[in-house]
Amino acid sequence: MRRNNRLKINILSILLIPPCFLLAQGAISVSLLPEKCLTEPEVQLAGMINSYRAEKGLPPVTISASLSYVARTHAEDLADNYKQSKRCNMHSWSGKGNWTSCCYTDDHKRAACMWSKPRELTSYTANGYEIAYYTTQTYTSPAEYAHDILKGWKGSPGHNETIINRGIWKKVKWNAMGVGLSGGYACVWFGEETDPAGSPSSCK
């Protein structure tokens, strides 16, 4: 019997409304971006996402150092500080870090809080779009963990369309992808611009 899995679906057409932002003054430069190598489960998940895209006739998305930094930072923030709430979903950010905190609600009134995080935390200047997953399951291998995450997203229309550029994302081309896992939370970020910081290394 499978243990408790929770999947939050927070992708709606409002995400297509282009926000107008100034660059965050606290953005980290490429040269100062803290090194966060990808763990084996993160590498597995990124590979599985691109394999799934290939099945749909889509090109792979380059793994981004900046978006992976944002993804891991958010996964760690969720693992350390997020409390399940009917009001604040998993796109929320706590007030316990070097970023703008927000309670992200299902009406997407605080969508800018998510979009702007790459600019707040890195030198990546474009918007970032996140899909998130949470599980309490115990896995026997990194591949099993990654497979279960992707399976959950594939079963969710909003997440699935984001990954394979369907629905409201049909005319969007992803040129950067970040992956971050921590404490049962999985965050993947997509962006339309290439990342000047390049791709992250794999943890030894």
Side-chain angles (χ1 to χ4, degrees), residues 34-51:
E35 175 64 23
K36 285 201 176 185
C37 59
L38 294 187
T39 64
E40 183 59 26
E42 291 167 346
V43 171
Q44 291 276 353
L45 180 56
M48 289 182 185
I49 287 173
N50 276 330
S51 293

Side-chain angles (χ1 to χ4, degrees), residues 82-123:
Y82 181 65
K83 305 297 182 184
Q84 295 290 336
S85 167
K86 292 183 178 180
R87 182 167 179 266
C88 305
N89 63 40
M90 288 194 296
H91 294 314
S92 301
W93 289 71
S94 78
K96 298 181 179 180
N98 186 30
W99 53 71
T100 302
S101 64
C102 68
C103 170
Y104 195 112
T105 52
D106 290 341
D107 59 12
H108 299 278
K109 288 184 177 180
R110 300 297 305 276
C113 177
M114 182 249 286
W115 285 333
S116 63
K117 281 299 177 288
R119 288 191 290 278
E120 284 191 44
L121 298 173
T122 75
S123 292

Side-chain angles (χ1 to χ4, degrees), residues 38 41-42 45-46 49 67-79 90-93 114 129-134 145 149 153 159 177-190:
L38 294 187
E42 291 167 346
L45 180 56
I49 287 173
L67 294 186
S68 292
Y69 176 80
V70 176
R72 177 83 69 76
T73 300
H74 194 207
E76 291 172 347
D77 181 47
L78 290 170
M90 288 194 296
H91 294 314
S92 301
W93 289 71
M114 182 249 286
Y129 303 96
E130 178 186 62
I131 56 177
Y133 182 89
Y134 175 68
Y145 184 19
I149 296 168
W153 283 333
H159 292 87
M177 174 173 65
V179 182
L181 306 175
S182 182
Y185 289 92
C187 298
V188 170
W189 286 69
F190 293 95

Side-chain angles (χ1 to χ4, degrees), residues 21 40 54 58 60 96 110-111 123-124 126 141 145 151 171:
F21 297 126
E40 183 59 26
L58 297 170
K96 298 181 179 180
R110 300 297 305 276
S123 292
Y124 191 83
S141 70
Y145 184 19
K151 181 180 178 181
K171 296 183 179 181

Side-chain angles (χ1 to χ4, degrees), residues 30 33 63-67 122-124 175-176 193-199:
V30 173
L33 184 68
I63 309 304
S64 156
S66 296
L67 294 186
T122 75
S123 292
Y124 191 83
N175 286 300
E193 300 297 327
T194 57
D195 183 6
S199 296

Side-chain angles (χ1 to χ4, degrees), residues 14-22 111-112 115-116 119 127 129:
I14 191 170
L15 294 183
L16 285 181
I17 302 173
C20 296
F21 297 126
L22 294 177
W115 285 333
S116 63
R119 288 191 290 278
N127 295 334
Y129 303 96

